[in-house]
Amino acid sequence: RRASRPIGEGAADSPEEEALVMVNVYEVLGLRPQPEEDPLGEFLLSDLLQDPPPFVLEIRRQHLVESWMFLDRVQKAMQMIFQRAGKEALPGEQIKLTVREADTALITADRSLTEDQRYLYLLRGFGRRLPDTPSAHGVGSTAKGYEAMATDSLAG
Protein backbone atom coordinates (compact mmCIF):
# COMPACT_ATOMS: atom_id res chain seq x y z
CA ARG A 1 0.00 0.00 0.00
CA ARG A 2 1.01 3.56 -0.36
CA ALA A 3 2.89 4.92 2.62
CA SER A 4 0.34 7.74 2.92
CA ARG A 5 -2.52 5.30 3.63
CA PRO A 6 -2.22 3.53 7.01
CA ILE A 7 -2.79 -0.22 7.10
CA GLY A 8 -6.47 -1.11 7.34
CA GLU A 9 -7.76 2.25 6.07
CA GLY A 10 -9.28 2.83 2.67
CA ALA A 11 -9.84 0.50 -0.24
CA ALA A 12 -7.02 -0.99 -2.24
CA ASP A 13 -6.72 -0.10 -5.92
CA SER A 14 -5.97 -3.68 -6.97
CA PRO A 15 -5.36 -7.17 -5.51
CA GLU A 16 -1.61 -6.65 -6.04
CA GLU A 17 -1.72 -3.43 -4.04
CA GLU A 18 -3.74 -5.19 -1.35
CA ALA A 19 -0.91 -7.72 -0.91
CA LEU A 20 1.81 -5.02 -0.80
CA VAL A 21 2.45 -3.51 2.61
CA MET A 22 5.12 -0.89 3.04
CA VAL A 23 6.96 -0.78 6.35
CA ASN A 24 8.93 2.20 7.59
CA VAL A 25 11.97 0.47 9.11
CA TYR A 26 13.09 3.68 10.81
CA GLU A 27 9.74 4.02 12.56
CA VAL A 28 9.54 0.34 13.56
CA LEU A 29 13.04 0.44 15.06
CA GLY A 30 12.52 3.87 16.64
CA LEU A 31 15.29 5.50 14.63
CA ARG A 32 15.79 8.99 13.36
CA PRO A 33 16.19 10.37 10.72
CA GLN A 34 13.18 9.31 8.77
CA PRO A 35 13.64 7.94 5.21
CA GLU A 36 12.83 11.37 3.74
CA GLU A 37 15.87 12.78 5.58
CA ASP A 38 18.11 9.80 4.67
CA PRO A 39 16.83 8.64 1.24
CA LEU A 40 19.80 6.33 0.58
CA GLY A 41 19.71 4.76 4.04
CA GLU A 42 23.31 5.78 4.66
CA PHE A 43 22.83 6.26 8.37
CA LEU A 44 20.63 3.25 9.10
CA LEU A 45 23.44 0.77 9.73
CA SER A 46 25.63 3.22 11.62
CA ASP A 47 22.68 4.22 13.82
CA LEU A 48 21.87 0.57 14.54
CA LEU A 49 25.48 -0.14 15.51
CA GLN A 50 26.36 3.06 17.38
CA ASP A 51 23.12 3.88 19.17
CA PRO A 52 20.75 0.91 18.90
CA PRO A 53 17.19 1.42 20.11
CA PRO A 54 15.78 -0.86 22.85
CA PHE A 55 14.03 -3.11 20.31
CA VAL A 56 17.33 -3.89 18.54
CA LEU A 57 19.09 -4.47 21.87
CA GLU A 58 16.36 -6.94 22.86
CA ILE A 59 16.62 -8.81 19.54
CA ARG A 60 20.40 -9.09 20.02
CA ARG A 61 19.96 -10.33 23.58
CA GLN A 62 17.36 -12.87 22.50
CA HIS A 63 19.61 -14.11 19.68
CA LEU A 64 22.50 -14.62 22.11
CA VAL A 65 20.30 -16.44 24.63
CA GLU A 66 18.91 -18.76 21.94
CA SER A 67 22.40 -19.42 20.57
CA TRP A 68 23.75 -20.34 24.01
CA MET A 69 20.73 -22.56 24.71
CA PHE A 70 21.28 -24.38 21.40
CA LEU A 71 24.98 -24.80 22.15
CA ASP A 72 24.11 -26.17 25.61
CA ARG A 73 21.69 -28.73 24.10
CA VAL A 74 24.33 -29.83 21.56
CA GLN A 75 26.93 -30.20 24.30
CA LYS A 76 24.59 -32.28 26.48
CA ALA A 77 23.66 -34.47 23.49
CA MET A 78 27.35 -35.06 22.76
CA GLN A 79 28.00 -36.02 26.39
CA MET A 80 25.19 -38.61 26.21
CA ILE A 81 26.57 -39.98 22.93
CA PHE A 82 30.06 -40.26 24.40
CA GLN A 83 28.72 -42.03 27.51
CA ARG A 84 26.82 -44.56 25.39
CA ALA A 85 29.93 -45.20 23.26
CA GLY A 86 32.11 -45.56 26.36
CA LYS A 87 34.30 -42.64 25.35
CA GLU A 88 35.96 -40.91 28.28
CA ALA A 89 38.72 -38.35 28.35
CA LEU A 90 41.13 -37.44 31.08
CA PRO A 91 41.12 -33.77 32.09
CA GLY A 92 42.64 -31.70 29.31
CA GLU A 93 42.34 -34.56 26.80
CA GLN A 94 40.08 -34.31 23.78
CA ILE A 95 37.67 -36.97 22.56
CA LYS A 96 37.44 -37.59 18.82
CA LEU A 97 34.02 -36.79 17.45
CA THR A 98 32.79 -38.49 14.30
CA VAL A 99 30.54 -36.86 11.72
CA ARG A 100 27.81 -39.37 12.53
CA GLU A 101 28.01 -38.54 16.26
CA ALA A 102 27.89 -34.81 15.51
CA ASP A 103 24.85 -35.30 13.25
CA THR A 104 23.10 -37.34 15.95
CA ALA A 105 23.85 -34.59 18.48
CA LEU A 106 22.36 -31.95 16.17
CA ILE A 107 19.21 -34.02 15.64
CA THR A 108 18.89 -34.54 19.40
CA ALA A 109 19.48 -30.86 20.16
CA ASP A 110 16.99 -29.51 17.61
CA ARG A 111 14.64 -31.83 15.75
CA SER A 112 13.40 -28.95 13.60
CA LEU A 113 16.75 -28.56 11.80
CA THR A 114 16.48 -29.58 8.17
CA GLU A 115 18.94 -32.01 6.67
CA ASP A 116 20.54 -29.13 4.73
CA GLN A 117 20.94 -27.06 7.91
CA ARG A 118 22.58 -29.98 9.70
CA TYR A 119 24.92 -30.58 6.77
CA LEU A 120 26.01 -26.93 6.81
CA TYR A 121 26.77 -27.19 10.55
CA LEU A 122 28.72 -30.39 9.90
CA LEU A 123 30.68 -28.93 6.98
CA ARG A 124 31.63 -25.84 8.96
CA GLY A 125 32.28 -27.79 12.15
CA PHE A 126 34.68 -30.18 10.46
CA GLY A 127 36.45 -27.41 8.54
CA ARG A 128 35.22 -28.35 5.09
CA ARG A 129 34.47 -26.08 2.17
CA LEU A 130 30.82 -25.14 1.79
CA PRO A 131 29.10 -26.34 -1.37
CA ASP A 132 28.82 -24.02 -4.35
CA THR A 133 25.52 -22.38 -5.01
CA PRO A 134 23.27 -23.95 -7.63
CA SER A 135 23.44 -22.60 -11.17
CA ALA A 136 21.80 -23.35 -14.50
CA HIS A 137 24.41 -26.10 -14.90
CA GLY A 138 23.55 -27.73 -11.57
CA VAL A 139 25.34 -27.78 -8.25
CA GLY A 140 29.04 -28.26 -8.62
CA SER A 141 32.29 -26.47 -8.89
CA THR A 142 31.87 -22.85 -9.86
CA ALA A 143 34.87 -23.22 -12.14
CA LYS A 144 33.18 -26.14 -13.92
CA GLY A 145 30.03 -24.03 -14.31
CA TYR A 146 32.01 -21.21 -15.90
CA GLU A 147 33.78 -23.70 -18.14
CA ALA A 148 30.42 -25.12 -19.25
CA MET A 149 29.06 -21.63 -19.97
CA ALA A 150 32.20 -20.75 -21.94
CA THR A 151 31.96 -23.98 -23.94
CA ASP A 152 28.25 -23.33 -24.64
CA SER A 153 28.93 -19.79 -25.84
CA LEU A 154 31.80 -20.91 -28.11
CA ALA A 155 29.72 -23.71 -29.60
CA GLY A 156 26.71 -21.48 -30.21
Side-chain angles (χ1 to χ4, degrees), residues 14-110:
S14 68
E16 294 82 22
E17 187 177 293
E18 181 66 34
L20 179 65
V21 175
M22 297 193 63
V23 175
N24 181 335
V25 174
Y26 291 86
E27 189 177 304
V28 169
L29 297 176
L31 295 171
R32 299 287 182 261
Q34 292 295 316
E36 302 82 37
E37 300 167 36
D38 184 22
L40 299 176
E42 295 172 352
F43 303 111
L44 177 63
L45 186 58
S46 64
D47 288 348
L48 287 173
L49 294 173
Q50 294 173 6
D51 189 24
F55 176 75
V56 172
L57 291 173
E58 177 58 24
I59 294 297
R60 283 183 188 166
R61 185 198 67 76
Q62 183 178 351
H63 174 74
L64 285 173
V65 168
E66 289 174 6
S67 296
W68 283 108
M69 289 172 58
F70 176 71
L71 185 60
D72 186 54
R73 290 192 310 268
V74 169
Q75 186 177 24
K76 287 177 181 174
M78 285 183 186
Q79 288 171 351
M80 287 182 353
I81 290 166
F82 290 156
Q83 283 178 341
R84 288 183 192 148
K87 293 183 177 182
E88 285 192 44
L90 299 171
E93 186 180 282
Q94 293 182 352
I95 300 176
K96 282 212 170 205
L97 175 70
T98 67
V99 173
R100 181 169 285 173
E101 290 169 335
D103 190 36
T104 302
L106 288 170
I107 292 168
T108 303
D110 188 348

Side-chain angles (χ1 to χ4, degrees), residues 3-17:
S4 61
R5 186 176 13 183
I7 296 173
E9 289 185 18
D13 294 334
S14 68
E16 294 82 22
E17 187 177 293

Side-chain angles (χ1 to χ4, degrees), residues 78-151:
M78 285 183 186
Q79 288 171 351
M80 287 182 353
I81 290 166
F82 290 156
Q83 283 178 341
R84 288 183 192 148
K87 293 183 177 182
E88 285 192 44
L90 299 171
E93 186 180 282
Q94 293 182 352
I95 300 176
K96 282 212 170 205
L97 175 70
T98 67
V99 173
R100 181 169 285 173
E101 290 169 335
D103 190 36
T104 302
L106 288 170
I107 292 168
T108 303
D110 188 348
R111 295 197 183 282
S112 67
L113 288 175
T114 65
E115 187 176 37
D116 289 340
Q117 289 171 319
R118 290 194 334 266
Y119 288 170
L120 285 175
Y121 276 120
L122 294 170
L123 285 168
R124 290 177 182 144
F126 285 91
R128 300 290 187 242
R129 186 172 163 264
L130 294 177
D132 291 328
T133 55
S135 70
H137 300 285
V139 178
S141 168
T142 304
K144 287 181 186 173
Y146 288 128
E147 287 172 17
M149 288 189 313
T151 303

